[in-house]
Amino acid sequence: MATIFYSHAFGGNNPLSVCGLINFVVSKGYAFVFVPYQTVGVTVPQRYANLLNGFLLAAHTRPDIIDTTRTGFVGWSFGGGANYAMADTLVGHNNWGTRGNFIYSLAPWYSANISQAQLQSFPSNTNLLIEIFDNDSTNDHRMAIDIFNTISIPDSQKNFLLLRTDSLN
């Protein structure tokens, strides 16, 4: 089965905050890798390095569970922005995802550690879904729009969703 590599939001380093997602993914037979990173007193490159090293360590220590040939990179906010550098390194340079890979980026924050040139030469076998939220006052929608328009993934393999706010009563 495929493996989901999850990059949490800034300050969301407790896996209990996404236990519904984890339980659902695991109940379908997928492996789920959650790597907490320190949010205070470290730089963005240090947080990215922590995520990357955690994903590599998990794959190295549990090859019986983690299939790096079928990968998904899921991230929210800070983690949604980090997805692109993680996938570029692990898919583009470490040959992960050879049997399928995707990125699901929810309300992505800034994308660091990846250049325009890297986005424009992104692994073409990647599927991409970006989801933003109508009334998001933290993450500027333009960041998600820029990545969507810049990344070299073919239009047939990517989609952009806007989840509108709704209320009852």
Side-chain angles (χ1 to χ4, degrees):
M1 277 291 179
T3 302
I4 306 301
F5 295 92
Y6 183 75
S7 300
H8 63 80
F10 189 85
N13 56 358
N14 184 343
L16 292 177
S17 65
V18 291
C19 67
L21 173 64
I22 294 170
N23 290 335
F24 176 77
V25 167
V26 171
S27 75
K28 300 300 180 190
Y30 297 95
F32 193 97
V33 178
F34 182 101
V35 175
Y37 58 83
Q38 186 177 349
T39 55
V40 178
V42 295
T43 65
V44 169
Q46 289 170 320
R47 290 183 198 113
Y48 274 44
N50 188 90
L51 283 168
L52 181 62
N53 291 331
F55 294 157
L56 289 166
L57 179 63
H60 178 72
T61 57
R62 295 310 308 255
D64 56 320
I65 296 173
I66 296 172
D67 179 1
T68 60
T69 68
R70 294 180 291 180
T71 58
F73 297 89
V74 177
W76 189 291
S77 189
F78 181 90
N83 275 341
Y84 307 101
M86 298 303 117
D88 180 65
T89 298
L90 296 171
V91 174
H93 302 287
N94 288 34
N95 296 316
W96 288 18
T98 56
R99 295 175 51 209
N101 75 88
F102 70 88
I103 295 172
Y104 181 24
S105 186
L106 296 112
W109 194 66
Y110 294 97
S111 296
N113 292 14
I114 191 163
S115 68
Q116 285 294 102
Q118 288 169 293
L119 286 170
Q120 292 169 343
S121 63
F122 211 78
S124 62
N125 65 332
T126 304
N127 293 296
L128 172 65
L129 178 59
I130 296 177
E131 183 173 353
I132 60 173
F133 304 95
D134 192 26
N135 292 330
D136 189 342
S137 60
T138 302
N139 299 309
D140 189 330
H141 293 167
R142 292 174 294 181
M143 292 181 284
I145 293 165
D146 180 58
I147 290 284
F148 186 82
N149 290 333
T150 302
I151 202 162
S152 65
I153 297 171
D155 288 345
S156 62
Q157 292 171 219
K158 64 183 181 178
N159 208 339
F160 192 96
L161 299 175
L162 169 65
L163 185 62
R164 298 210 182 273
T165 302
D166 196 5
S167 62
L168 297 173
N169 298 330

